[in-house]
Amino acid sequence: LTVNAGKTFGEGAASKNLTVSGHVSVDGTLDLDRSSSDGNASFGSLTIANGGTVEAPSHGNLTLTTDATDQFLYETISGATFNNNDGTVIITGDGRVKPRAGTGNFHNVTLNASGNTIEQSAVDVTIEGNLTITAGEWHTGTAGLGYSNLTVTGATDITGTLNCHSGTISLGSNVDDAYSVVVNANGTFTGGSGTHTLGAVNVSSSANNFTFSSGTTTINGRATSGNSRRAFSTAATNKITAAGTLVIDQARTPLSIRCDDTTGINNLTMNCGSGRVLHLDGDLTVGGTLNVSAGTVTTRNVGDSADNDLTVAGGNISVSGTLLLNNSTVVVSDTSSALSISNVGTVTCG
């Protein structure tokens, strides 16, 4: 289907669907949002040219279906307009996406493409709502073309794979009272090497794997979980791969952290500011350095007031804020060096 410049093609009457098994090229206007009960649209692939406009369905979905490996499944040329109308784009195909800057963002995106891979093609992608990876893989770029940034304002729900490579990643930044990143059973999150800013994270004990970025991951959200407000939560004992530095920087209190994988956290920094408290919600092992740069870290669970044990395998604890060890056991497992507590904050034992 080709919509020529100066022409408008509409979906027709209310609740009518439009299906094009091949490629759709828009130089004019393609209006898929003609009524309050617009239907669904299904295209093999979609290109919006300079001067072209697509009005996406606000009540139905826009589905892209072609297996277009190493080709564009979705592309907007500079000067194009994609109005998402708060709708959902569903991807069941394979290929590259290239929504160029200034041409319009996705609202919600669902990837449901078992065995397929979607790659950002040398372009940053912003999703104003939610990203749901039900099946298939989403990559922030491809070898030879470079890796780009990914921003998701709402929730990211992963049952397939999200591979962040070296991009700067923002997923649900600063969302309160809900998990922004959920890695479900069989889901995989590969952090890569970029700088990450995430809301609260929950990793299922049946997930394939959650790998932190080798750079810095800042968590600035929290989620309600019983009486706790968890910033990071997992009951998995062997699904977390430690890397880089995890920074907790949340403007609200109380909040807590649970990581049952004793090899899951490399360096941990608490940087939430005066009067804010990070509680251990279970025993915690930090493989490298524990840095309490601002605020308080306490080993006492906010939910049931139990005192949890703390292991700092790297042997170094830096405290400019406050560290409350309560009646917990503190273990330094790096036998090559003695426990080192530096800086001028407060450390309270018992």
Side-chain angles (χ1 to χ4, degrees):
L1 171 65
T2 298
V3 182
N4 291 327
K7 304 298 182 181
T8 298
F9 184 88
E11 198 171 33
S15 301
K16 296 298 183 180
N17 300 324
L18 175 63
T19 300
V20 180
S21 58
H23 181 66
V24 175
S25 179
V26 181
D27 292 84
T29 299
L30 177 59
D31 189 355
L32 306 173
D33 190 46
R34 294 171 65 86
S35 72
S36 60
S37 57
D38 51 79
N40 299 307
S42 178
F43 303 155
S45 54
L46 174 62
T47 298
I48 311 173
N50 179 11
T53 297
V54 170
E55 296 286 346
S58 58
H59 301 87
N61 301 315
L62 171 59
T63 301
L64 302 174
T65 63
T66 295
D67 287 339
T69 304
D70 296 330
Q71 303 296 322
F72 288 121
L73 185 66
Y74 174 87
E75 182 182 19
T76 58
I77 308 301
S78 296
T81 300
F82 176 78
N83 292 322
N84 64 52
N85 294 314
D86 295 340
T88 298
V89 173
I90 300 174
I91 298 174
T92 62
D94 180 282
R96 296 174 180 167
V97 294
K98 194 176 184 73
R100 286 179 169 86
T103 61
N105 299 321
F106 297 121
H107 185 68
N108 297 321
V109 174
T110 297
L111 175 60
N112 189 12
S114 181
N116 289 346
T117 299
I118 295 298
E119 299 169 332
Q120 295 173 216
S121 184
V123 66
D124 298 340
V125 170
T126 296
I127 298 172
E128 297 173 354
N130 303 323
L131 171 61
T132 303
I133 304 176
T134 304
E137 300 184 10
W138 185 290
H139 291 251
T140 59
T142 183
L145 295 178
Y147 299 102
S148 302
N149 306 326
L150 174 64
T151 298
V152 180
T153 302
T156 299
D157 189 272
I158 304 168
T159 308
T161 297
L162 175 58
N163 194 325
C164 302
H165 298 282
S166 59
T168 297
I169 308 298
S170 177
L171 305 176
S173 175
N174 207 32
V175 172
D176 193 26
D177 291 332
Y179 286 113
S180 294
V181 180
V182 176
V183 184
N184 301 301
N186 302 315
T188 300
F189 179 95
T190 303
S193 59
T195 298
H196 291 191
T197 303
L198 312 177
V201 177
N202 183 44
V203 182
S204 166
S205 57
S206 299
N208 280 338
N209 187 256
F210 180 97
T211 302
F212 280 101
S213 170
S214 61
T216 298
T217 298
T218 298
I219 293 181
N220 60 9
R222 63 176 184 171
T224 303
S225 180
N227 292 323
S228 301
R229 301 279 184 160
R230 290 180 182 166
F232 184 88
S233 178
T234 186
T237 58
N238 60 351
K239 304 292 186 179
I240 312 300
T241 300
T245 296
L246 172 60
V247 178
I248 307 297
D249 191 351
Q250 161 64 262
R252 308 164 189 88
T253 197
L255 63 153
S256 64
I257 183 170
R258 177 181 179 181
C259 183
D260 290 359
D261 191 332
T262 58
T263 62
I265 294 178
N266 186 28
N267 300 311
L268 176 63
T269 295
M270 167 63 173
N271 190 40
C272 289
S274 177
R276 290 160 187 145
V277 182
L278 176 65
H279 298 257
L280 303 193
D281 194 356
D283 297 342
L284 183 70
T285 296
V286 177
T289 295
L290 172 63
N291 180 15
V292 187
S293 61
T296 298
V297 172
T298 177
T299 58
R300 183 159 293 168
N301 190 335
V302 66
D304 58 15
S305 297
D307 291 335
N308 299 293
D309 296 336
L310 173 65
T311 298
V312 182
N316 183 35
I317 301 175
S318 177
V319 182
S320 298
T322 299
L323 176 61
L324 301 178
L325 298 176
N326 303 298
N327 295 312
S328 303
T329 299
V330 178
V331 177
V332 180
S333 58
D334 183 355
T335 57
S336 65
S337 61
L339 172 64
S340 171
I341 300 179
S342 59
N343 291 330
V344 294
T346 300
V347 180
T348 302
C349 303

